Amino acid sequence: MAEPNPPRPKVGLVLPGGGARAAYQSGVLQAISELLPPDSPSPFPIVSGTSAGAINATLIATHALHFRRGTQELAGVWEHISSELVFRTDGGTMFKNLLYWLMGLLHAGFARRNVIALLDNTPLRKLLERHIIFARLQEAIDAGVLDALSLTCSGYTSARAVCFYKGKPGLKAWHRTRRIGQPAELRLDHVMASVALPVIFPAVRLGREYYGDGSLRQMAPLSPAVHLGADRILVIGVRNEQANKLPERGEEVPYPPLGQVVGYLMDVVFSDSLYADLERLQRINNTMRELAAASGRSPSLKVIDTLVIVPSEDMREIAQRHVREFPRSVRMLLRMLGGNRKSGSQLASYLLFESGFCTELVELGRKDARAQADKLLAFLGVTSPLAGQDPPVN
């Protein structure tokens, strides 16, 4: 009599923020879907997203019953994106907001109203309204395919990260220092709040306070997936982790322009806490394994393995090849900030919501995931994928 197959692990998917760089995540997810049978449901019962990753997480979770269809739609959104579909690019709006913002810094009483943001992202809301159907979340939960979707936002009044989640019955809210998890009937306002990068995009009111980009206060990006019951966590990062080259001895180093500094800050906000949390989880895992080996008993905490996929190429260099795709008004704004130079390519890579750049990132994600196909399938607990078939090449 054949032994029954062991239960598949409960894999959590964590999608951190990264602005336009999040296009890479859609390529990885599409490649994963192509490793599975076409009609497979999502292999990720737990999905957690922050900032631009919240957009990807929501679209994937709402297509949990038809995973490949969802990844195709998500990749299509990124491959046809443009700045004008994300924020208003007309020069009048942009430079009026910039003037109000600058004058507000110089003289708090200049404007009768608070300066909202540099960019008006109303077009992004309209774009997402066409692609995200929140009623599908409950359908996937009722079908047993989705346990939970979580979206993290940062509260400006409470000064804490709030993980809003919708999931199956029995999930428990959590409270930690400056971060909590609370159930919510997720809607588009939660997504827009999670992507509301300070100064760049306007904050969104949810309940009693205004919220901004979830990456700001999210010191433990893996925490939502852990609290919601993940046994394993797949993280799709958006930063190539090769160390930057230091200047040669005696080389003249110019003072960093504002664009380079802002890009550096974005890099810190979107990625540094993720890798600190991964290191913390690895230490806990190692401790649990050593305790189990020493005592011969299973520890009270479970070991949660992780797999991290990051770009094999530097996104700053890719952005340099596409920076001219920016609308003229955005190029002028970047020029004022020094973000049009090579040193400002980090900032450009976060804001380059243009088809050429994002399509290249989608394809890079596909390539990187296909290169790790065996590792991905083993991590997902899939033993017999499309036998004898090669994943389709787009």
Side-chain angles (χ1 to χ4, degrees):
M1 182 177 177
E3 295 185 3
N5 293 326
R8 286 176 60 174
K10 188 169 290 188
V11 183
L13 174 66
V14 172
L15 301 176
R21 292 184 177 201
Y24 174 82
Q25 296 171 344
S26 73
V28 173
L29 291 168
Q30 187 174 29
I32 291 173
S33 75
E34 292 168 351
L35 296 172
L36 306 173
D39 57 349
S40 293
S42 172
F44 306 108
I46 297 164
V47 184
S48 176
T50 304
S51 193
I55 296 174
N56 294 342
T58 304
L59 210 152
I60 287 298
T62 55
H63 283 83
L65 288 167
H66 306 283
F67 184 54
R68 184 176 294 188
R69 186 188 306 169
T71 64
Q72 289 171 342
E73 182 172 349
L74 179 60
V77 170
W78 284 107
E79 289 171 338
H80 296 91
I81 198 74
S82 66
S83 293
E84 64 183 15
L85 292 176
V86 178
F87 52 85
R88 291 184 59 181
T89 60
D90 59 286
T93 297
M94 291 186 60
F95 289 100
K96 180 181 70 174
N97 290 345
L98 177 61
L99 176 62
Y100 267 95
W101 185 72
L102 290 174
M103 293 304 295
L105 288 177
L106 295 173
H107 181 50
F110 172 76
R112 294 183 180 179
R113 61 179 177 84
N114 288 334
V115 181
I116 302 300
L118 285 177
L119 302 177
D120 177 354
N121 61 353
T122 302
L124 176 62
R125 173 180 281 273
K126 294 179 179 179
L127 173 67
L128 298 181
E129 284 175 346
R130 297 197 296 269
H131 289 279
I132 297 176
I133 302 175
F134 282 93
R136 291 175 175 169
L137 287 176
Q138 191 61 52
E139 294 174 5
I141 292 169
D142 292 341
V145 173
L146 182 69
D147 284 5
L149 165 66
S150 73
L151 306 175
T152 301
C153 310
S154 297
Y156 283 121
T157 301
S158 62
R160 63 186 180 184
V162 181
C163 171
F164 297 100
Y165 67 87
K166 180 179 177 64
K168 66 182 184 179
L171 296 175
K172 296 181 180 180
W174 62 92
H175 294 261
R176 298 293 185 270
T177 303
R178 294 212 180 268
R179 54 187 175 90
I180 68 171
Q182 68 179 54
E185 191 61 40
L186 296 179
R187 60 186 192 277
L188 194 53
D189 281 345
H190 293 90
V191 181
M192 297 303 295
S194 190
V195 304
L197 193 65
V199 179
I200 305 296
F201 293 139
V204 177
R205 182 163 182 168
L206 298 170
R208 292 180 292 170
E209 66 177 315
Y210 281 91
Y211 288 85
D213 194 293
S215 302
L216 296 173
R217 285 280 180 179
Q218 194 181 48
M219 296 298 102
L222 305 181
S223 172
V226 173
H227 281 289
L228 294 170
D231 300 318
R232 299 177 182 179
I233 299 176
L234 173 67
V235 180
I236 307 178
V238 295
R239 185 174 72 186
N240 178 284
E241 289 308 308
Q242 294 178 0
N244 296 341
K245 284 186 177 181
L246 289 173
E248 298 292 335
R249 189 179 300 275
E251 180 182 347
E252 184 178 351
V253 181
Y255 192 84
L258 180 58
Q260 183 177 0
V261 174
V262 174
Y264 182 92
L265 290 174
M266 285 189 172
D267 203 48
V268 171
V269 167
F270 288 132
S271 295
D272 282 11
S273 60
L274 171 64
Y275 291 99
D277 204 23
L278 283 165
E279 291 178 0
R280 183 162 50 243
L281 180 60
Q282 187 60 53
R283 287 197 300 270
I284 294 172
N285 284 343
N286 291 339
T287 301
M288 292 301 101
R289 291 188 178 103
E290 290 177 4
L291 288 175
S295 65
R297 296 180 298 176
S298 297
S300 57
L301 297 177
K302 64 181 178 181
V303 172
I304 301 176
D305 290 324
T306 59
L307 175 62
V308 183
I309 296 182
V310 295
S312 57
E313 300 178 24
D314 192 329
M315 291 195 178
R316 295 170 299 181
E317 296 179 2
I318 299 175
Q320 276 294 108
R321 299 197 290 268
H322 295 276
V323 72
R324 291 190 175 275
E325 295 177 14
F326 273 125
R328 183 170 178 270
S329 57
V330 181
R331 291 202 307 272
M332 292 177 63
L333 179 60
L334 284 175
R335 190 177 298 120
M336 294 172 62
L337 298 174
N340 61 325
R341 310 173 198 171
K342 185 176 181 180
S343 59
S345 59
Q346 195 158 316
L347 173 59
S349 69
Y350 286 111
L351 299 179
L352 229 172
F353 294 98
E354 298 295 337
S355 176
F357 175 66
C358 292
T359 297
E360 187 165 347
L361 296 192
V362 172
E363 187 51 46
L364 178 63
R366 293 191 188 109
K367 183 188 76 171
D368 289 349
R370 289 168 182 161
Q372 302 183 61
D374 291 342
K375 184 186 294 186
L376 277 166
L377 289 171
F379 190 79
L380 296 174
V382 178
T383 55
S384 300
L386 298 170
Q389 298 184 34
D390 294 324
V393 177
N394 294 324

